[in-house]
Amino acid sequence: MGDETITEMYRARTDALTTDVGEGRPVVFAHGTLMNRSMFAPQLEALKDDYRSVAYDLRARTDRYAQEYDLGDLADDCAALLDGIGEDSAVIAGMSMGGFMALRFALAYPDRVDGLVLIDSMAAPHSAEEREAYGELVEPLEGSHESNPRELAESVTGYLFGETTREENPGLVESWVDRWATYPGAAVYNELHSWLDRPDVTDHLSEIDVPVLIVHGEEDPSIDPSRAEPMLEELPDAEMEIVPEAGHTSNLERPAPVNSTITSFLDERF
């Protein structure tokens, strides 16, 4: 499938691709690796009375997963999605990979971004050691259209969820393991490789002159909060909220405080 066909898929904005609720200023949610748009259900419910909230599935959760792509392609997809929902611009909220994309979207499409919400994400790349470890983890999945081995799905829970969640809410963790075990291997391989070797954009953050909210789980096992903090110094207008007892999927693990933080940010700044 060519990029043009994929772009048209996002412009079409089918119900199979998006969840679109509420009216008002648009907020678009982009998920992280292994997740899908349903991870933002708590945020859409919290915002629907005052904002138009749209969560969408990125390429890996569609039938267009088999083609190689990068974060620039995902940013173009986000622009096509805005076309599809009939919005010139929006607040872009991205979790992890979705945040990597959101930063690049803001740089590539500055007139189409009103603000950013970066959830458990960062501007710097992963270390060489991390890139090697992640690459080895998904190497057996390259080109596979078979479902992921369940043991692999179970092995990554420690990357996505904080210690408190794994101990106190095992049902949430298990429900996502069940989903991960249904994904085609190539979908996960290409998804991870879309960002694995991404360049550092820290030196370009000063160009993002819109309000930015950084939300980060205190127990994030994949991206420690300290790795997100440098963005505060480089972004012209940014604030950060640490979420106690939450890991890499802080908005899903502790939706109440995250919803409160995002709502306050949107109400005060927009």
Side-chain angles (χ1 to χ4, degrees):
M1 269 324 153
D3 283 344
E4 182 177 348
T5 303
I6 294 172
T7 298
E8 290 307 314
M9 175 183 72
Y10 282 99
R11 280 206 183 98
R13 196 220 58 133
T14 64
D15 290 338
L17 189 70
T18 63
T19 302
D20 187 344
V21 300
E23 297 180 356
R25 190 150 199 163
V27 184
V28 172
F29 290 87
H31 61 79
T33 300
L34 289 176
M35 310 307 286
N36 64 20
R37 72 180 189 268
S38 71
M39 75 170 301
F40 296 115
Q43 287 69 56
L44 269 59
E45 178 65 24
L47 297 176
K48 68 179 183 180
D49 290 340
D50 299 300
Y51 297 91
R52 182 183 185 185
S53 300
V54 181
Y56 72 103
D57 285 336
L58 279 67
R59 291 191 190 192
R61 301 291 86 82
T62 75
D63 61 1
R64 313 300 170 89
Y65 65 80
Q67 179 176 314
E68 292 182 5
Y69 55 90
D70 60 21
L71 291 170
D73 295 320
L74 295 182
D76 292 342
D77 292 347
C78 187
L81 181 82
L82 287 183
D83 293 342
I85 65 174
E87 299 286 358
D88 292 330
S89 62
V91 174
I92 308 298
M95 175 264 170
S96 190
M97 175 185 70
F100 305 157
M101 181 283 296
L103 288 171
R104 285 154 180 81
F105 179 85
L107 292 169
Y109 297 94
D111 295 335
R112 306 204 71 175
V113 60
D114 300 324
L116 295 177
V117 178
L118 304 175
I119 303 170
D120 295 283
S121 196
M122 63 180 178
H126 284 79
S127 68
E129 293 77 15
E130 289 172 315
R131 295 198 300 273
E132 181 178 3
Y134 285 137
E136 290 177 353
L137 183 66
V138 302
E139 185 176 4
L141 306 178
E142 183 177 10
S144 172
H145 300 289
E146 301 296 323
S147 298
N148 289 319
R150 188 170 183 85
E151 56 268 27
L152 176 62
E154 292 174 342
S155 73
V156 298
T157 58
Y159 293 101
L160 273 296
F161 298 100
E163 182 178 357
T164 299
T165 298
R166 296 197 304 273
E167 291 180 357
E168 298 183 359
N169 195 357
L172 175 66
V173 176
E174 189 66 18
S175 70
W176 281 95
V177 170
D178 289 343
R179 297 185 197 202
W180 299 338
T182 68
Y183 296 165
V188 175
Y189 180 90
N190 288 334
E191 182 174 42
L192 186 139
H193 278 277
S194 73
W195 55 259
L196 191 60
D197 295 315
R198 68 193 186 282
D200 193 345
V201 294
T202 301
D203 290 345
H204 297 282
L205 295 183
S206 61
E207 302 169 29
I208 302 177
D209 194 16
V210 295
V212 179
L213 171 64
I214 302 167
V215 179
H216 216 100
E218 187 174 38
E219 300 177 0
D220 189 335
S222 295
I223 299 177
D224 190 84
S226 63
R227 302 174 77 177
E229 289 171 355
M231 293 191 291
L232 289 170
E233 301 177 6
E234 303 297 332
L235 289 162
D237 184 3
E239 58 190 272
M240 183 171 184
E241 185 74 20
I242 301 294
V243 186
E245 301 184 329
H248 193 55
T249 56
S250 60
N251 66 292
L252 186 62
E253 297 175 59
R254 292 291 179 266
V258 172
N259 290 347
S260 177
T261 296
I262 293 176
T263 299
S264 295
F265 171 72
L266 294 173
D267 290 349
E268 292 172 7
R269 305 306 301 274
F270 303 99

